[in-house]
Amino acid sequence: MAGKSFDVIVIGAGPGGYVCAIRAAQLGLSAAIVEREHMGGICLNWGCIPTKALLRTSELYHQIHRAGDFGLSAEGLDFDFDKVIDRSRKVAGQLASGVDHLMKKNKVTVVRGDGRLAGGGRVAVVTEAGEEMLEAPHIVLATGARARELPGLEADGARVWTYRHALKPPHMPERLLVIGSGAIGMEFASFYHTMGAQATVVEVQDRVLPVEDAEISTFARKAFEKQGMEIRTGATVKSLARHADRVTAEIEQGGADIQLEDRTPRLPKTIDLTVDYLRSGLPRDAYARARVVRSGRRYASVQVEGWQDNRDRMFAQATGHFLMPTREG
């Protein structure tokens, strides 16, 4: 089935994908970008941007509580939690609209839907109107990452959250357990703790922010504990019991078991693109291979190629930038 033809198709409209599509268009190529959700990707919509908006609110809330230190008086201070969350979503939405504008400005065709490789330089996109077929000699996979659910700690959106639930929570928790003390985990712990929740952070390694320098980890821990946050390093979650009104987590630290209740974990992300994704669109007499073409401390550029058995024709190729597991985290 013939479809719309382009010089390059980008799957995923995150910061890697939409920049790639714009640059391709600027160089004179006809470009299309496929996105199933929001323009701008996870960072803009569900990561860096909305979390910073929340942290700005908590920072102001914290500073106002210290008004007396500056000779000021602030009484009856309170907050509307729904409005706090709504502001962060509006900030993200405004920037996502800006990416939409960049697509129009650079004449990049945006196709909303779920894209998959169909082989032979084709991309099948399931849209609200049905399936649409796109064709291009060059296909870029920029699908990003997703939250990984750990066995026994699966999110339900009510008591156990992923980062998305934490950004659009059903309620303001009274107590919170964050599993993992990386930058994202500590951001959520800091925000909710400042806004009034009793936050506990559990980290399997021997210090918080384990990918940072040891001096930074030590300084950060002292600052957070001074604010009243409880931090347990060298600890793991052994089990999780769910009840109608609470969740009880069993934490093992130094060989001792600890019971903690009412928790919301931040779960790590993992790569959401594998060679199997490409293989799903290959003919039966073809195979796929992947090779790292560039790597750094916490990323790798992986080139995925689809070949016929006779190895004389490569009909699909894509390069994506992935977060890779490292010893540092």
Side-chain angles (χ1 to χ4, degrees), residues 10-11 31 33 37 47 53 60 78 91 106 109 113 136 174 202 223-224 231 244 250 264 285 287 299 303-304 310:
V10 181
I11 303 178
I33 192 164
E37 198 173 10
L60 290 174
D78 200 0
V91 169
N106 290 277
T109 299
E174 294 182 5
V202 173
F224 286 126
I231 297 175
E250 184 177 1
T264 306
D285 62 343
Y287 72 97
Y299 77 93
Q303 190 172 81
V304 185
N310 58 20

Side-chain angles (χ1 to χ4, degrees), residues 14 46 58 64 72 79 86 110 120 128 130 146 160 171 188-189 192 218 223 237 244-245 249-250 254 265 306:
W46 298 102
S58 65
I64 294 173
L72 305 175
F79 63 88
D86 184 58
V110 177
E128 292 183 355
R146 60 178 173 82
V160 184
H171 58 270
F188 281 126
Y192 280 103
T218 301
V237 179
D245 60 345
E250 184 177 1

Side-chain angles (χ1 to χ4, degrees), residues 156-174:
D156 55 25
R159 295 287 176 180
V160 184
W161 297 348
T162 64
Y163 66 97
R164 292 201 179 208
H165 299 126
L167 286 169
K168 289 187 67 175
H171 58 270
M172 172 67 190
E174 294 182 5

Side-chain angles (χ1 to χ4, degrees), residues 3-217:
K4 296 179 181 178
S5 296
F6 301 90
D7 293 321
V8 59
I9 300 171
V10 181
I11 303 178
Y18 81 75
V19 172
C20 174
I22 290 174
R23 189 57 180 152
Q26 290 173 343
L27 293 173
L29 301 177
S30 60
I33 192 164
V34 179
E35 174 57 48
R36 66 183 177 187
E37 198 173 10
H38 306 293
M39 301 298 292
I42 292 297
C43 179
L44 193 156
N45 294 281
W46 298 102
C48 319
I49 301 304
T51 55
K52 299 307 179 292
L54 293 177
L55 287 171
R56 175 56 175 160
T57 297
S58 65
E59 178 188 27
L60 290 174
Y61 190 61
H62 173 73
Q63 292 294 344
I64 294 173
H65 273 95
R66 297 181 59 240
D69 296 345
F70 301 91
L72 305 175
S73 177
E75 298 179 357
L77 182 62
D78 200 0
F79 63 88
D80 186 322
F81 190 64
D82 290 338
K83 288 185 178 180
V84 170
I85 299 300
D86 184 58
R87 175 182 177 273
S88 74
R89 302 313 308 156
K90 286 181 177 178
V91 169
Q94 183 177 7
L95 292 180
S97 296
V99 177
D100 271 318
H101 173 72
L102 288 175
M103 297 298 102
K104 295 177 182 177
K105 179 180 177 181
N106 290 277
K107 296 181 173 58
V108 175
T109 299
V110 177
V111 182
R112 303 277 184 172
D114 247 321
R116 64 176 178 83
L117 295 173
R122 296 179 301 159
V123 174
V125 185
V126 179
T127 68
E128 292 183 355
E131 185 170 275
E132 183 176 349
M133 194 66 69
L134 310 178
E135 297 180 350
H138 307 287
I139 299 172
V140 178
L141 304 181
T143 53
R146 60 178 173 82
R148 181 183 59 170
E149 292 195 337
L150 304 179
L153 304 179
E154 293 82 5
D156 55 25
R159 295 287 176 180
V160 184
W161 297 348
T162 64
Y163 66 97
R164 292 201 179 208
H165 299 126
L167 286 169
K168 289 187 67 175
H171 58 270
M172 172 67 190
E174 294 182 5
R175 299 188 63 189
L176 183 76
L177 174 63
V178 179
I179 300 177
S181 68
I184 299 173
M186 294 309 295
E187 283 185 342
F188 281 126
S190 176
F191 167 72
Y192 280 103
H193 184 78
T194 301
M195 300 306 290
Q198 176 56 52
T200 300
V201 177
V202 173
E203 170 58 53
V204 69
Q205 299 195 47
D206 60 356
R207 59 189 177 92
V208 299
L209 300 172
V211 303
E212 307 297 339
D213 291 341
E215 293 86 352
I216 294 176
S217 296

